[in-house]
Amino acid sequence: MTTNIESIKDMLKTVKMHHSAEVLDNLLSTSLEHSYSYEQFLEDLLSQEIEVKEQKRLETRLKQAMFPEYKILNEFNIAEQQSLSTRQLNQLKELTWLEQGYNMVLLGPPGVGKTHLVIGLGIHAINNGYKVIFSQMSDLIQWAKDPGNC
């Protein structure tokens, strides 16, 4: 039986289901202990694999976004903003501007929350399946001057 389990683990790794290979022994024990059906066992195995892959995908997208810090929209204090209404923020959160292929550029004086807002919206977009790249305006200007150096 152990040889079969090791063979199954190898096959899971071959099809890039590494997490499933790692948890197979525990999941088999739990399934036997609780008399899971084959369907329930398979559903649990695949659910765990999907969850781990999705978490890794989110982590990769967050890393690729190159945010200078981690700020979420729930921490953004809209009451301190004079130029942005709650309605406008909610419209931005709907991400229709992304679906329509628009980029976001915020201009204004230092300390008004531009970076926090953009990072929060970027993280929100990543959590909704989008790829995001954060860039400061100075980097965009430099790139426009000399795209070969970026």
Side-chain angles (χ1 to χ4, degrees):
M1 180 82 169
T2 304
T3 308
N4 289 340
I5 299 300
E6 292 306 316
S7 176
I8 291 170
K9 286 180 183 180
D10 289 339
M11 286 188 266
L12 287 168
K13 290 176 185 175
T14 299
V15 294
K16 299 191 183 331
M17 294 180 65
H18 299 283
H19 179 74
S20 294
E22 290 174 17
V23 299
L24 184 61
D25 291 326
N26 289 338
L27 192 54
L28 282 170
S29 295
T30 301
S31 296
L32 289 171
E33 183 179 320
H34 296 288
S35 299
Y36 285 177
S37 66
Y38 297 123
E39 291 87 358
Q40 183 63 50
F41 166 78
L42 187 57
E43 182 180 355
D44 286 355
L45 184 74
L46 293 173
S47 294
Q48 287 184 31
E49 185 71 31
I50 290 168
E51 186 177 317
V52 167
K53 285 185 186 271
E54 183 59 28
Q55 186 60 38
K56 286 181 182 179
R57 190 175 5 257
L58 287 174
E59 289 170 7
T60 299
R61 285 185 179 164
L62 282 170
K63 190 180 228 181
Q64 290 172 339
M66 299 184 296
F67 294 125
E69 54 192 318
Y70 188 87
K71 299 242 181 210
I72 58 173
L73 287 175
N74 290 347
E75 297 168 349
F76 185 75
N77 189 351
I78 190 72
E80 293 180 4
Q81 303 305 314
Q82 297 172 357
S83 60
L84 182 67
S85 69
T86 303
R87 175 178 287 158
Q88 289 170 320
L89 178 59
N90 288 335
Q91 286 176 327
L92 290 172
K93 286 174 164 178
E94 290 174 2
L95 304 175
T96 53
W97 56 276
L98 273 178
E99 293 167 8
Q100 295 170 350
Y102 291 106
N103 296 310
M104 178 173 294
V105 176
L106 298 181
L107 300 172
V112 295
K114 298 179 304 292
T115 302
H116 187 154
L117 178 61
V118 170
I119 291 171
L121 285 169
I123 291 170
H124 180 67
I126 288 170
N127 288 331
N128 282 279
Y130 290 94
K131 292 181 181 177
V132 174
I133 296 176
F134 176 89
S135 179
Q136 298 281 351
M137 183 60 75
S138 58
D139 295 334
L140 290 175
I141 292 169
Q142 183 61 38
W143 180 81
K145 287 181 180 178
D146 189 8
N149 277 342
C150 296

